[in-house]
Amino acid sequence: AGGEPPRPVASLRAPVVALRGVKPGDPVSYNAEWRARSPATIATIAAGYADGVPRSLGNRGVIEVNGRHLPIAGRVTMDMTMVLAEPGVEVGQEAILWGGSVSLDEQAARAGTISYELLTSLQRRVARVYREHA
């Protein structure tokens, strides 16, 4: 009944650590389950299943970079996740796996699970930053 709309209370963020060009037919990630259809750039995000990114997001999830939803290309690996990049994506930029324009619930649905599983899957090596809200 009125008031402010709900805001995300948590997010998972990681940097873009590499950009690589691929040619048509080039595979990305384990088992070559994703292949480039045309020349493309793949951005590597420094977060994988050892951080709490569900493996089931491979070829199904999206990650926000620069306000755009970029599809995950290939399997989520232990330490990294690759996405099909768009122009303007640069090494060092922040990628938001969930909690930005890709909501926790949306990403959980893509992974075939619930939001609480994503939250409780975060591992110790993921830095926590706590902020106060007014």
Side-chain angles (χ1 to χ4, degrees), residues 7 10 20 31-32 36 47 53 74 78 92 111 116 120 125 128:
R7 293 181 294 178
R20 301 247 192 287
N31 288 1
V53 180
M78 183 183 297
Y116 295 109
T120 59
R125 71 186 204 167
R128 270 72 166 169

Side-chain angles (χ1 to χ4, degrees), residues 54-79:
R55 289 181 67 236
S56 59
L57 285 176
N59 294 315
R60 293 173 37 178
V62 295
I63 295 177
E64 177 187 353
V65 180
N66 291 336
R68 305 289 304 249
H69 293 188
L70 306 180
I72 293 176
R75 289 188 175 189
V76 173
T77 72
M78 183 183 297
D79 300 307

Side-chain angles (χ1 to χ4, degrees), residues 18-117:
L19 294 170
R20 301 247 192 287
V22 293
K23 300 179 301 259
D26 282 352
V28 173
S29 197
Y30 301 135
N31 288 1
E33 290 183 5
W34 187 92
R35 290 184 181 270
R37 294 183 183 165
S38 59
T41 300
I42 299 296
T44 302
I45 311 301
Y49 62 78
D51 301 297
V53 180
R55 289 181 67 236
S56 59
L57 285 176
N59 294 315
R60 293 173 37 178
V62 295
I63 295 177
E64 177 187 353
V65 180
N66 291 336
R68 305 289 304 249
H69 293 188
L70 306 180
I72 293 176
R75 289 188 175 189
V76 173
T77 72
M78 183 183 297
D79 300 307
M80 305 288 170
T81 303
M82 283 61 72
V83 297
L84 183 58
E86 292 184 351
V89 173
E90 298 178 10
V91 170
Q93 289 179 321
E94 181 177 71
I96 306 171
L97 286 86
W98 47 258
S101 63
V102 179
S103 74
L104 178 62
D105 287 331
E106 178 186 353
Q107 201 71 293
R110 288 177 181 270
T113 188
I114 60 172
S115 58
Y116 295 109
E117 185 174 0

